[in-house]
Amino acid sequence: MKEFLPAERMKVVSYPIRDIVMEARKEEKAGKKMIYLNIGDPAQYGFEPPSIIKEEVKKALDMDLKGYAPSQGDDELIEKIAKIEGCSEENVFVTVGLTEGIEYFIQALVGKGEKLLLPNPTYPLYITKADVFEVKSEFYKHDADGQIDVEDLRTKIADAKAMVIINPNNPLGSLYSDNNLNEVIAICAEYNVPIFYDGSYDKLVFDGYSDFRKLAKGKVPFIYGSSLSKVYLYPGARVGWVAFHGDGWEKIKDAYFRLCNQRLSVNWEFQKAAAAAILDDSHLVQVKKDLLERRDAMIQAAEGLPLEYPMPKGAFYAFMKITSGKWSSDWDFARAAIKKGVVVVPGSGFGKQDGNYFRATFLPPAELIKEAFEKIAEIL
Ligand SMILES: Cc1ncc(COP(=O)(O)O)c(C=O)c1O
């Protein structure tokens, strides 16, 4: 049989957040109870999306939307997003989760061998997609509080094609201050580098949050992205969007049009539901209360352990550095945690780190977090 060499290319496609699960499932099959702190899926831990989403999906089924939806997105949804974004409707594209919006951004904007500036640590999809499109990813650092290290950024920005900001950050859980963001905006404006702002968690914040759109407006061109997955607790809906702000986007928008056209459309019923849901954030009061309680449970459970991390101020993750010196590899640590019955993601899955880290989500109920950290404590 012929060798299927092009499949070799797929070796760059990985997703550590899920890859680690395969190892955990083996242990589970052998009868071990497992606590999953690896994946940021609110549905797995009892968080319910606003009820209006399901109701509107049911209504939409009766609207007989059998055909393909408009490729750029449902008109009504685009109108609502444009309102939130403060931009015109032609600047909005609905995508299959923000995942697709990210893929199109890299594909459309950053050429082969060109530099894409990513946070370190970063959400792994950015690294994978950069690899797939043979884009050169370079990483900017954070300080101990999880703020962007602007001095480091300055040394890397000059020849970057674009910069990605994730705020609140996954995996750090950190929230950038206005000062920090203003400095970053000024640097990007100075070097004429556009920003891709990943606002997947933009309303899941505990301690104040400034709208990046207002901070950056008129100063630097940016794309703002978000989705139903986290803020509206419905990752399975697979509805996301990007909005273009500022000047100079004509060619990139044309590329988005083409990319959206070739994949035909996003599920129409869920777009209708999104249109009904995204102007009402009343569910977030309870969600943030629950998350804060669970975050505090994690901080308490980690107290006294050899771990360092910025205080999570948004999203639902903590990114912890193991300071005991006991582990020489984060994967070895994560495997040992699985043997104890806890699944966390090795830090290197979020980019190369200067030590051994892991990411844990505080989505589970407080008792489960406590139990997980008691097990982790035994191997730290
Ligand atoms: C920072 C960040 N961006 C993008 C995504 C993709 O989200 P979705 O495609 O479900 O909108 C995620 C999912 O976990 C994320 O954490």
Side-chain angles (χ1 to χ4, degrees), residues 6-34:
E8 281 288 305
R9 251 187 257 146
M10 290 301 115
K11 287 199 175 145
V12 300
V13 178
S14 73
Y15 193 65
I17 297 168
R18 283 180 183 243
D19 291 348
I20 190 81
V21 172
M22 295 196 231
E23 311 210 9
R25 294 270 187 249
K26 270 190 233 154
E27 290 290 321
E28 219 173 13
K29 268 198 184 142
K32 182 137 212 112
K33 182 190 160 205
M34 210 53 76

PDB file of all heavy atoms in Angstrom, residues 6-34:
ATOM      1  N   PRO A   6       0.918  12.932   3.350  1.00  0.00           N
ATOM      2  CA  PRO A   6       0.318  14.188   3.815  1.00  0.00           C
ATOM      3  C   PRO A   6      -0.242  14.110   5.236  1.00  0.00           C
ATOM      4  O   PRO A   6      -0.311  15.117   5.932  1.00  0.00           O
ATOM      5  CB  PRO A   6      -0.799  14.443   2.800  1.00  0.00           C
ATOM      6  CG  PRO A   6      -0.308  13.779   1.562  1.00  0.00           C
ATOM      7  CD  PRO A   6       0.429  12.553   2.032  1.00  0.00           C
ATOM      8  N   ALA A   7      -0.606  12.936   5.679  1.00  0.00           N
ATOM      9  CA  ALA A   7      -1.127  12.804   7.046  1.00  0.00           C
ATOM     10  C   ALA A   7      -0.075  13.206   8.082  1.00  0.00           C
ATOM     11  O   ALA A   7      -0.414  13.577   9.209  1.00  0.00           O
ATOM     12  CB  ALA A   7      -1.595  11.373   7.291  1.00  0.00           C
ATOM     13  N   GLU A   8       1.192  13.163   7.700  1.00  0.00           N
ATOM     14  CA  GLU A   8       2.279  13.600   8.586  1.00  0.00           C
ATOM     15  C   GLU A   8       2.027  15.020   9.088  1.00  0.00           C
ATOM     16  O   GLU A   8       2.339  15.375  10.212  1.00  0.00           O
ATOM     17  CB  GLU A   8       3.615  13.601   7.819  1.00  0.00           C
ATOM     18  CG  GLU A   8       4.234  12.233   7.664  1.00  0.00           C
ATOM     19  CD  GLU A   8       4.789  11.745   8.983  1.00  0.00           C
ATOM     20  OE1 GLU A   8       5.598  12.457   9.576  1.00  0.00           O
ATOM     21  OE2 GLU A   8       4.375  10.648   9.417  1.00  0.00           O
ATOM     22  N   ARG A   9       1.475  15.826   8.179  1.00  0.00           N
ATOM     23  CA  ARG A   9       1.186  17.218   8.503  1.00  0.00           C
ATOM     24  C   ARG A   9       0.316  17.339   9.746  1.00  0.00           C
ATOM     25  O   ARG A   9       0.395  18.292  10.493  1.00  0.00           O
ATOM     26  CB  ARG A   9       0.398  17.829   7.342  1.00  0.00           C
ATOM     27  CG  ARG A   9       1.169  18.819   6.537  1.00  0.00           C
ATOM     28  CD  ARG A   9       0.234  19.466   5.558  1.00  0.00           C
ATOM     29  NE  ARG A   9       0.445  18.900   4.233  1.00  0.00           N
ATOM     30  CZ  ARG A   9      -0.517  18.730   3.343  1.00  0.00           C
ATOM     31  NH1 ARG A   9      -1.741  19.047   3.610  1.00  0.00           N
ATOM     32  NH2 ARG A   9      -0.251  18.223   2.168  1.00  0.00           N
ATOM     33  N   MET A  10      -0.528  16.354   9.924  1.00  0.00           N
ATOM     34  CA  MET A  10      -1.500  16.418  11.024  1.00  0.00           C
ATOM     35  C   MET A  10      -0.840  16.281  12.389  1.00  0.00           C
ATOM     36  O   MET A  10      -1.455  16.500  13.412  1.00  0.00           O
ATOM     37  CB  MET A  10      -2.581  15.348  10.844  1.00  0.00           C
ATOM     38  CG  MET A  10      -3.504  15.633   9.711  1.00  0.00           C
ATOM     39  SD  MET A  10      -4.336  17.229   9.936  1.00  0.00           S
ATOM     40  CE  MET A  10      -3.695  18.160   8.578  1.00  0.00           C
ATOM     41  N   LYS A  11       0.449  15.910  12.374  1.00  0.00           N
ATOM     42  CA  LYS A  11       1.140  15.765  13.668  1.00  0.00           C
ATOM     43  C   LYS A  11       1.201  17.085  14.418  1.00  0.00           C
ATOM     44  O   LYS A  11       1.368  17.115  15.627  1.00  0.00           O
ATOM     45  CB  LYS A  11       2.532  15.199  13.456  1.00  0.00           C
ATOM     46  CG  LYS A  11       2.461  13.733  13.084  1.00  0.00           C
ATOM     47  CD  LYS A  11       3.768  13.021  13.309  1.00  0.00           C
ATOM     48  CE  LYS A  11       3.586  11.539  13.044  1.00  0.00           C
ATOM     49  NZ  LYS A  11       4.751  10.932  12.445  1.00  0.00           N
ATOM     50  N   VAL A  12       1.089  18.207  13.693  1.00  0.00           N
ATOM     51  CA  VAL A  12       1.124  19.491  14.399  1.00  0.00           C
ATOM     52  C   VAL A  12      -0.214  19.786  15.077  1.00  0.00           C
ATOM     53  O   VAL A  12      -0.334  20.723  15.850  1.00  0.00           O
ATOM     54  CB  VAL A  12       1.501  20.689  13.482  1.00  0.00           C
ATOM     55  CG1 VAL A  12       2.874  20.488  12.877  1.00  0.00           C
ATOM     56  CG2 VAL A  12       0.455  20.918  12.398  1.00  0.00           C
ATOM     57  N   VAL A  13      -1.220  18.986  14.741  1.00  0.00           N
ATOM     58  CA  VAL A  13      -2.540  19.240  15.330  1.00  0.00           C
ATOM     59  C   VAL A  13      -2.658  18.486  16.648  1.00  0.00           C
ATOM     60  O   VAL A  13      -2.663  17.266  16.676  1.00  0.00           O
ATOM     61  CB  VAL A  13      -3.668  18.794  14.368  1.00  0.00           C
ATOM     62  CG1 VAL A  13      -5.036  19.005  15.002  1.00  0.00           C
ATOM     63  CG2 VAL A  13      -3.571  19.565  13.061  1.00  0.00           C
ATOM     64  N   SER A  14      -2.724  19.262  17.726  1.00  0.00           N
ATOM     65  CA  SER A  14      -2.885  18.603  19.023  1.00  0.00           C
ATOM     66  C   SER A  14      -3.774  19.489  19.897  1.00  0.00           C
ATOM     67  O   SER A  14      -3.987  20.658  19.596  1.00  0.00           O
ATOM     68  CB  SER A  14      -1.531  18.399  19.699  1.00  0.00           C
ATOM     69  OG  SER A  14      -1.055  19.634  20.169  1.00  0.00           O
ATOM     70  N   TYR A  15      -4.277  18.928  20.967  1.00  0.00           N
ATOM     71  CA  TYR A  15      -5.105  19.703  21.887  1.00  0.00           C
ATOM     72  C   TYR A  15      -4.911  19.111  23.276  1.00  0.00           C
ATOM     73  O   TYR A  15      -5.640  18.217  23.684  1.00  0.00           O
ATOM     74  CB  TYR A  15      -6.575  19.643  21.435  1.00  0.00           C
ATOM     75  CG  TYR A  15      -7.438  20.663  22.140  1.00  0.00           C
ATOM     76  CD1 TYR A  15      -7.218  22.026  21.933  1.00  0.00           C
ATOM     77  CD2 TYR A  15      -8.440  20.292  23.013  1.00  0.00           C
ATOM     78  CE1 TYR A  15      -7.986  22.979  22.579  1.00  0.00           C
ATOM     79  CE2 TYR A  15      -9.222  21.238  23.658  1.00  0.00           C
ATOM     80  CZ  TYR A  15      -8.991  22.576  23.438  1.00  0.00           C
ATOM     81  OH  TYR A  15      -9.755  23.517  24.082  1.00  0.00           O
ATOM     82  N   PRO A  16      -3.868  19.613  23.983  1.00  0.00           N
ATOM     83  CA  PRO A  16      -3.465  18.987  25.249  1.00  0.00           C
ATOM     84  C   PRO A  16      -4.581  18.889  26.268  1.00  0.00           C
ATOM     85  O   PRO A  16      -4.595  17.974  27.090  1.00  0.00           O
ATOM     86  CB  PRO A  16      -2.335  19.895  25.742  1.00  0.00           C
ATOM     87  CG  PRO A  16      -2.349  21.101  24.883  1.00  0.00           C
ATOM     88  CD  PRO A  16      -3.029  20.755  23.622  1.00  0.00           C
ATOM     89  N   ILE A  17      -5.535  19.862  26.219  1.00  0.00           N
ATOM     90  CA  ILE A  17      -6.607  19.867  27.219  1.00  0.00           C
ATOM     91  C   ILE A  17      -7.433  18.587  27.129  1.00  0.00           C
ATOM     92  O   ILE A  17      -7.908  18.052  28.113  1.00  0.00           O
ATOM     93  CB  ILE A  17      -7.502  21.117  27.020  1.00  0.00           C
ATOM     94  CG1 ILE A  17      -6.661  22.374  27.246  1.00  0.00           C
ATOM     95  CG2 ILE A  17      -8.715  21.087  27.934  1.00  0.00           C
ATOM     96  CD1 ILE A  17      -7.314  23.679  26.819  1.00  0.00           C
ATOM     97  N   ARG A  18      -7.561  18.069  25.904  1.00  0.00           N
ATOM     98  CA  ARG A  18      -8.299  16.816  25.711  1.00  0.00           C
ATOM     99  C   ARG A  18      -7.366  15.613  25.645  1.00  0.00           C
ATOM    100  O   ARG A  18      -7.744  14.521  26.034  1.00  0.00           O
ATOM    101  CB  ARG A  18      -9.145  16.888  24.440  1.00  0.00           C
ATOM    102  CG  ARG A  18     -10.392  17.713  24.690  1.00  0.00           C
ATOM    103  CD  ARG A  18     -11.262  17.831  23.475  1.00  0.00           C
ATOM    104  NE  ARG A  18     -12.391  18.706  23.796  1.00  0.00           N
ATOM    105  CZ  ARG A  18     -13.655  18.325  23.788  1.00  0.00           C
ATOM    106  NH1 ARG A  18     -13.977  17.099  23.493  1.00  0.00           N
ATOM    107  NH2 ARG A  18     -14.608  19.169  24.090  1.00  0.00           N
ATOM    108  N   ASP A  19      -6.141  15.813  25.125  1.00  0.00           N
ATOM    109  CA  ASP A  19      -5.212  14.680  24.990  1.00  0.00           C
ATOM    110  C   ASP A  19      -4.997  13.977  26.331  1.00  0.00           C
ATOM    111  O   ASP A  19      -4.924  12.752  26.404  1.00  0.00           O
ATOM    112  CB  ASP A  19      -3.855  15.144  24.446  1.00  0.00           C
ATOM    113  CG  ASP A  19      -3.955  15.597  22.978  1.00  0.00           C
ATOM    114  OD1 ASP A  19      -5.018  15.328  22.361  1.00  0.00           O
ATOM    115  OD2 ASP A  19      -3.013  16.210  22.474  1.00  0.00           O
ATOM    116  N   ILE A  20      -4.913  14.766  27.395  1.00  0.00           N
ATOM    117  CA  ILE A  20      -4.643  14.195  28.716  1.00  0.00           C
ATOM    118  C   ILE A  20      -5.782  13.267  29.172  1.00  0.00           C
ATOM    119  O   ILE A  20      -5.575  12.320  29.925  1.00  0.00           O
ATOM    120  CB  ILE A  20      -4.375  15.328  29.758  1.00  0.00           C
ATOM    121  CG1 ILE A  20      -3.854  14.787  31.089  1.00  0.00           C
ATOM    122  CG2 ILE A  20      -5.594  16.194  29.999  1.00  0.00           C
ATOM    123  CD1 ILE A  20      -2.405  14.491  31.109  1.00  0.00           C
ATOM    124  N   VAL A  21      -6.983  13.533  28.633  1.00  0.00           N
ATOM    125  CA  VAL A  21      -8.148  12.743  29.044  1.00  0.00           C
ATOM    126  C   VAL A  21      -8.007  11.276  28.638  1.00  0.00           C
ATOM    127  O   VAL A  21      -8.440  10.378  29.356  1.00  0.00           O
ATOM    128  CB  VAL A  21      -9.440  13.337  28.430  1.00  0.00           C
ATOM    129  CG1 VAL A  21     -10.629  12.439  28.684  1.00  0.00           C
ATOM    130  CG2 VAL A  21      -9.694  14.706  29.017  1.00  0.00           C
ATOM    131  N   MET A  22      -7.369  11.054  27.496  1.00  0.00           N
ATOM    132  CA  MET A  22      -7.233   9.659  27.034  1.00  0.00           C
ATOM    133  C   MET A  22      -6.531   8.822  28.094  1.00  0.00           C
ATOM    134  O   MET A  22      -6.884   7.690  28.346  1.00  0.00           O
ATOM    135  CB  MET A  22      -6.453   9.632  25.731  1.00  0.00           C
ATOM    136  CG  MET A  22      -7.187  10.314  24.611  1.00  0.00           C
ATOM    137  SD  MET A  22      -6.475   9.848  23.061  1.00  0.00           S
ATOM    138  CE  MET A  22      -6.193  11.390  22.283  1.00  0.00           C
ATOM    139  N   GLU A  23      -5.526   9.439  28.736  1.00  0.00           N
ATOM    140  CA  GLU A  23      -4.793   8.705  29.766  1.00  0.00           C
ATOM    141  C   GLU A  23      -5.679   8.491  30.994  1.00  0.00           C
ATOM    142  O   GLU A  23      -5.653   7.431  31.621  1.00  0.00           O
ATOM    143  CB  GLU A  23      -3.526   9.469  30.144  1.00  0.00           C
ATOM    144  CG  GLU A  23      -2.738   9.888  28.906  1.00  0.00           C
ATOM    145  CD  GLU A  23      -1.242   9.980  29.113  1.00  0.00           C
ATOM    146  OE1 GLU A  23      -0.772   9.562  30.186  1.00  0.00           O
ATOM    147  OE2 GLU A  23      -0.575  10.451  28.185  1.00  0.00           O
ATOM    148  N   ALA A  24      -6.483   9.496  31.303  1.00  0.00           N
ATOM    149  CA  ALA A  24      -7.357   9.386  32.482  1.00  0.00           C
ATOM    150  C   ALA A  24      -8.429   8.318  32.265  1.00  0.00           C
ATOM    151  O   ALA A  24      -8.765   7.572  33.175  1.00  0.00           O
ATOM    152  CB  ALA A  24      -7.998  10.738  32.772  1.00  0.00           C
ATOM    153  N   ARG A  25      -8.954   8.256  31.053  1.00  0.00           N
ATOM    154  CA  ARG A  25     -10.030   7.286  30.770  1.00  0.00           C
ATOM    155  C   ARG A  25      -9.569   5.842  31.012  1.00  0.00           C
ATOM    156  O   ARG A  25     -10.334   5.016  31.489  1.00  0.00           O
ATOM    157  CB  ARG A  25     -10.522   7.422  29.327  1.00  0.00           C
ATOM    158  CG  ARG A  25     -11.217   8.734  29.054  1.00  0.00           C
ATOM    159  CD  ARG A  25     -12.739   8.656  29.331  1.00  0.00           C
ATOM    160  NE  ARG A  25     -13.387   9.884  28.908  1.00  0.00           N
ATOM    161  CZ  ARG A  25     -13.939  10.800  29.702  1.00  0.00           C
ATOM    162  NH1 ARG A  25     -13.961  10.613  31.012  1.00  0.00           N
ATOM    163  NH2 ARG A  25     -14.482  11.887  29.221  1.00  0.00           N
ATOM    164  N   LYS A  26      -8.300   5.600  30.685  1.00  0.00           N
ATOM    165  CA  LYS A  26      -7.761   4.243  30.903  1.00  0.00           C
ATOM    166  C   LYS A  26      -7.852   3.884  32.381  1.00  0.00           C
ATOM    167  O   LYS A  26      -8.280   2.797  32.747  1.00  0.00           O
ATOM    168  CB  LYS A  26      -6.275   4.201  30.465  1.00  0.00           C
ATOM    169  CG  LYS A  26      -6.099   3.831  29.008  1.00  0.00           C
ATOM    170  CD  LYS A  26      -4.629   3.563  28.726  1.00  0.00           C
ATOM    171  CE  LYS A  26      -4.171   4.401  27.549  1.00  0.00           C
ATOM    172  NZ  LYS A  26      -2.764   4.720  27.514  1.00  0.00           N
ATOM    173  N   GLU A  27      -7.439   4.816  33.234  1.00  0.00           N
ATOM    174  CA  GLU A  27      -7.482   4.584  34.687  1.00  0.00           C
ATOM    175  C   GLU A  27      -8.926   4.416  35.163  1.00  0.00           C
ATOM    176  O   GLU A  27      -9.224   3.587  36.010  1.00  0.00           O
ATOM    177  CB  GLU A  27      -6.863   5.765  35.437  1.00  0.00           C
ATOM    178  CG  GLU A  27      -5.374   5.890  35.275  1.00  0.00           C
ATOM    179  CD  GLU A  27      -4.611   4.777  35.990  1.00  0.00           C
ATOM    180  OE1 GLU A  27      -5.011   4.382  37.094  1.00  0.00           O
ATOM    181  OE2 GLU A  27      -3.609   4.292  35.410  1.00  0.00           O
ATOM    182  N   GLU A  28      -9.806   5.234  34.567  1.00  0.00           N
ATOM    183  CA  GLU A  28     -11.211   5.193  34.963  1.00  0.00           C
ATOM    184  C   GLU A  28     -11.818   3.837  34.615  1.00  0.00           C
ATOM    185  O   GLU A  28     -12.572   3.261  35.395  1.00  0.00           O
ATOM    186  CB  GLU A  28     -11.972   6.317  34.260  1.00  0.00           C
ATOM    187  CG  GLU A  28     -12.998   6.958  35.142  1.00  0.00           C
ATOM    188  CD  GLU A  28     -13.637   8.173  34.495  1.00  0.00           C
ATOM    189  OE1 GLU A  28     -13.485   8.390  33.284  1.00  0.00           O
ATOM    190  OE2 GLU A  28     -14.308   8.915  35.229  1.00  0.00           O
ATOM    191  N   LYS A  29     -11.453   3.343  33.426  1.00  0.00           N
ATOM    192  CA  LYS A  29     -11.958   2.029  32.999  1.00  0.00           C
ATOM    193  C   LYS A  29     -11.516   0.943  33.961  1.00  0.00           C
ATOM    194  O   LYS A  29     -12.217  -0.025  34.202  1.00  0.00           O
ATOM    195  CB  LYS A  29     -11.431   1.701  31.598  1.00  0.00           C
ATOM    196  CG  LYS A  29     -12.388   2.148  30.517  1.00  0.00           C
ATOM    197  CD  LYS A  29     -12.094   1.467  29.202  1.00  0.00           C
ATOM    198  CE  LYS A  29     -13.022   2.036  28.149  1.00  0.00           C
ATOM    199  NZ  LYS A  29     -12.381   2.186  26.862  1.00  0.00           N
ATOM    200  N   ALA A  30     -10.307   1.146  34.523  1.00  0.00           N
ATOM    201  CA  ALA A  30      -9.787   0.157  35.477  1.00  0.00           C
ATOM    202  C   ALA A  30     -10.416   0.347  36.862  1.00  0.00           C
ATOM    203  O   ALA A  30     -10.004  -0.297  37.826  1.00  0.00           O
ATOM    204  CB  ALA A  30      -8.268   0.267  35.538  1.00  0.00           C
ATOM    205  N   GLY A  31     -11.373   1.287  36.969  1.00  0.00           N
ATOM    206  CA  GLY A  31     -12.134   1.410  38.210  1.00  0.00           C
ATOM    207  C   GLY A  31     -11.769   2.578  39.095  1.00  0.00           C
ATOM    208  O   GLY A  31     -12.306   2.725  40.192  1.00  0.00           O
ATOM    209  N   LYS A  32     -10.857   3.443  38.634  1.00  0.00           N
ATOM    210  CA  LYS A  32     -10.444   4.583  39.475  1.00  0.00           C
ATOM    211  C   LYS A  32     -11.430   5.739  39.345  1.00  0.00           C
ATOM    212  O   LYS A  32     -11.836   6.103  38.248  1.00  0.00           O
ATOM    213  CB  LYS A  32      -9.053   5.044  39.019  1.00  0.00           C
ATOM    214  CG  LYS A  32      -8.491   6.147  39.815  1.00  0.00           C
ATOM    215  CD  LYS A  32      -7.021   5.933  40.133  1.00  0.00           C
ATOM    216  CE  LYS A  32      -6.692   6.556  41.470  1.00  0.00           C
ATOM    217  NZ  LYS A  32      -6.377   5.647  42.497  1.00  0.00           N
ATOM    218  N   LYS A  33     -11.791   6.353  40.477  1.00  0.00           N
ATOM    219  CA  LYS A  33     -12.651   7.549  40.427  1.00  0.00           C
ATOM    220  C   LYS A  33     -11.788   8.740  39.998  1.00  0.00           C
ATOM    221  O   LYS A  33     -10.677   8.927  40.490  1.00  0.00           O
ATOM    222  CB  LYS A  33     -13.239   7.803  41.824  1.00  0.00           C
ATOM    223  CG  LYS A  33     -14.182   8.986  41.826  1.00  0.00           C
ATOM    224  CD  LYS A  33     -14.586   9.400  43.242  1.00  0.00           C
ATOM    225  CE  LYS A  33     -15.087  10.833  43.205  1.00  0.00           C
ATOM    226  NZ  LYS A  33     -14.966  11.543  44.445  1.00  0.00           N
ATOM    227  N   MET A  34     -12.298   9.528  39.060  1.00  0.00           N
ATOM    228  CA  MET A  34     -11.475  10.605  38.511  1.00  0.00           C
ATOM    229  C   MET A  34     -12.159  11.955  38.709  1.00  0.00           C
ATOM    230  O   MET A  34     -13.359  12.090  38.460  1.00  0.00           O
ATOM    231  CB  MET A  34     -11.325  10.312  37.016  1.00  0.00           C
ATOM    232  CG  MET A  34     -10.059  10.779  36.372  1.00  0.00           C
ATOM    233  SD  MET A  34      -8.518  10.274  37.143  1.00  0.00           S
ATOM    234  CE  MET A  34      -8.377   8.596  36.645  1.00  0.00           C
TER     235      MET A  34
END
